Amino acid sequence: MNLVYRRINEKDFLKIKILFYKVFKRKISKKFYNWRYLDNLKYNSFAVFDNKKLIAHVGFVKYELNKSLNNSKKYIYSRHSSMVDLRYRNKNIYSKLLNFSFLKLKINNLGFIVWPNQINFLILKKKNDYYKFSTHSIYSIDIINNKKNIYSSLYNFFDSKDVASMDNFFDSFKQNSILNKDFDYFSNRYLKYDKKNYKFVEKKVNQECLSLFVLSFEYKKDTVIVKVFDFYSIKNNFLYELNNLIQFLSMYFQNKYKINLLFWSANQIKTSIFSHKINRIDKNFNICFIPNNISDSKFNHSIGKFKFFMGDTDVFCNIDKTN
């Protein structure tokens, strides 16, 4: 083998697309790829080539760190789109690719968020150079519509074009995410790519926004699948507001559709919290932090207290959108 490790350039995309489909059986669009990995005309993604054949790939999304964790403007990277051609696996190629990538992205970067599956997580544990956030689970709630549901006028949809007027809200809501989820983050995450896919539901009191859900709707025959991508609130009250969201959706759809609500949580959800049937359908989302400076124990431990939401990841993203 004549292996070359290097940063991705624009001409590599067709090869990336082919390997992505070969590994994940899903199509990926250039628009999605650029949105995730292109940063100041340079890709934060790397690959291994055997001669001219792309055999392994990893991409990183750059995020500004929550300012409560660091006074200066610092960044972390979240790892995604990890893939290796089947014939080149178990040859230590991917590990070398990661080390190569980490060195290239080390400047002004405090570390890397990674999403190991169960097998890779066991390997990571042996190295003792990581901090674990949690294991997230995806939960499913089947909402049964009935006429007894009481509509709360505090909740309503609002159009994405009105988000710019909520700049003050993003400055004031309780930041419990590891990321600095300000207006710039929100705009880039939900308005720059595939914005028609998202629905925004806000809770207002005296014209003041108190909480905000980012949702998507997928219609399948007599059922609408509602996915909770993100949650913003003046208070840290996700489950309480989720119950109010269920009530709002029940009234909105009335008896037109069955509703299947999907969300994820790092906590074990008690079924008694909800009056509807709830199931845990996936519990294999391990979230870990690999710091650049393993000796900075104060920072590394404090970072594990913060939360991740589904919107911070590629989970549920429409990656093959072409328009």
Side-chain angles (χ1 to χ4, degrees):
M1 293 187 294
N2 182 24
L3 301 183
V4 175
Y5 294 75
R6 66 167 173 83
R7 188 185 292 266
I8 287 293
N9 61 52
E10 187 176 7
K11 295 179 180 179
D12 297 321
F13 179 72
L14 180 58
K15 295 178 181 180
I16 295 168
K17 187 175 182 178
I18 292 171
L19 182 60
F20 195 94
Y21 187 81
K22 188 175 181 180
V23 172
F24 300 113
K25 300 296 184 276
R26 295 184 69 185
K27 294 180 180 180
I28 184 171
S29 71
K30 189 173 183 179
K31 185 174 182 179
F32 173 84
Y33 192 86
N34 286 349
W35 169 64
R36 293 301 270 170
Y37 304 124
L38 188 60
D39 177 31
N40 292 324
L41 303 179
K42 186 166 63 174
Y43 285 100
N44 290 325
S45 50
F46 305 87
V48 184
F49 294 82
D50 186 4
N51 291 317
K52 294 183 178 181
K53 180 182 179 181
L54 192 152
I55 63 165
H57 173 279
V58 64
F60 296 87
V61 181
K62 184 179 180 181
Y63 292 115
E64 185 180 348
L65 190 69
N66 188 319
K67 293 177 181 177
S68 66
L69 284 167
N70 199 286
N71 294 327
S72 59
K73 195 170 186 177
K74 294 290 185 180
Y75 298 92
I76 56 176
Y77 287 85
S78 182
R79 184 187 72 185
H80 303 279
S81 302
S82 299
M83 50 188 175
V84 181
D85 187 289
L86 183 62
R87 289 176 293 176
Y88 292 85
R89 295 176 188 175
N90 302 316
K91 299 181 185 295
N92 207 32
I93 292 173
Y94 183 70
S95 296
K96 291 181 180 178
L97 175 61
L98 279 185
N99 291 333
F100 175 83
S101 305
F102 289 173
L103 287 174
K104 291 293 182 181
L105 297 175
K106 194 171 185 177
I107 298 175
N108 200 28
N109 168 28
L110 294 176
F112 302 88
I113 297 168
V114 297
W115 310 82
N117 57 30
Q118 290 299 107
I119 296 175
N120 290 331
F121 178 63
L122 293 175
I123 297 173
L124 189 64
K125 285 178 69 174
K126 295 178 180 179
K127 296 182 179 180
N128 199 32
D129 60 354
Y130 78 100
Y131 291 85
K132 184 178 181 181
F133 286 108
S134 59
T135 298
H136 277 58
S137 300
I138 295 180
Y139 289 89
S140 169
I141 299 179
D142 293 319
I143 301 173
I144 301 173
N145 292 325
N146 62 69
K147 295 181 179 180
K148 294 181 180 180
N149 286 311
I150 302 173
Y151 173 73
S152 171
S153 60
L154 299 179
Y155 284 82
N156 215 334
F157 291 103
F158 75 98
D159 195 277
S160 60
K161 65 183 180 182
D162 298 325
V163 172
S165 65
M166 297 178 61
D167 203 359
N168 292 334
F169 167 72
F170 289 101
D171 290 336
S172 61
F173 88 94
K174 188 171 183 179
Q175 289 254 15
N176 62 344
S177 169
I178 183 179
L179 312 180
N180 181 31
K181 297 176 74 170
D182 57 7
F183 175 75
D184 289 338
Y185 168 89
F186 184 90
S187 180
N188 181 69
R189 178 63 186 84
Y190 299 111
L191 304 181
K192 188 175 180 179
Y193 173 83
D194 199 22
K195 67 179 181 180
K196 292 182 179 179
N197 182 51
Y198 302 113
K199 306 292 183 184
F200 307 104
V201 177
E202 65 173 340
K203 176 182 179 180
K204 269 190 174 182
V205 176
N206 296 326
Q207 298 303 310
E208 180 185 4
C209 181
L210 300 182
S211 61
L212 169 67
F213 279 100
V214 181
L215 313 172
S216 74
F217 295 164
E218 182 181 351
Y219 296 89
K220 291 187 175 181
K221 295 183 179 181
D222 62 343
T223 301
V224 57
I225 301 172
V226 180
K227 300 171 183 176
V228 178
F229 275 80
D230 222 332
F231 173 71
Y232 300 78
S233 179
I234 300 297
K235 300 179 180 179
N236 187 12
N237 54 350
F238 174 69
L239 292 179
Y240 173 80
E241 295 296 349
L242 190 67
N243 255 319
N244 289 327
L245 176 69
I246 290 172
Q247 186 176 2
F248 169 77
L249 293 172
S250 297
M251 189 63 190
Y252 178 76
F253 288 107
Q254 294 184 1
N255 294 320
K256 296 177 182 177
Y257 293 96
K258 298 176 184 176
I259 306 169
N260 179 232
L261 181 70
L262 298 178
F263 69 98
W264 77 344
S265 174
N267 302 317
Q268 182 74 36
I269 303 297
K270 296 180 180 179
T271 57
S272 58
I273 294 177
F274 303 97
S275 59
H276 305 269
K277 183 180 179 181
I278 179 171
N279 295 301
R280 184 166 61 168
I281 60 176
D282 199 326
K283 57 179 180 178
N284 292 323
F285 290 93
N286 296 303
I287 307 178
C288 301
F289 176 69
I290 301 177
N292 270 333
N293 183 5
I294 193 67
S295 63
D296 189 356
S297 58
K298 183 178 179 180
F299 169 76
N300 295 332
H301 282 293
S302 64
I303 206 170
K305 298 177 181 178
F306 286 73
K307 293 183 178 180
F308 245 77
F309 286 96
M310 196 167 289
D312 303 328
T313 76
D314 287 342
V315 178
F316 293 162
C317 275
N318 185 7
I319 65 171
D320 61 348
K321 187 174 179 61
T322 57
N323 53 21

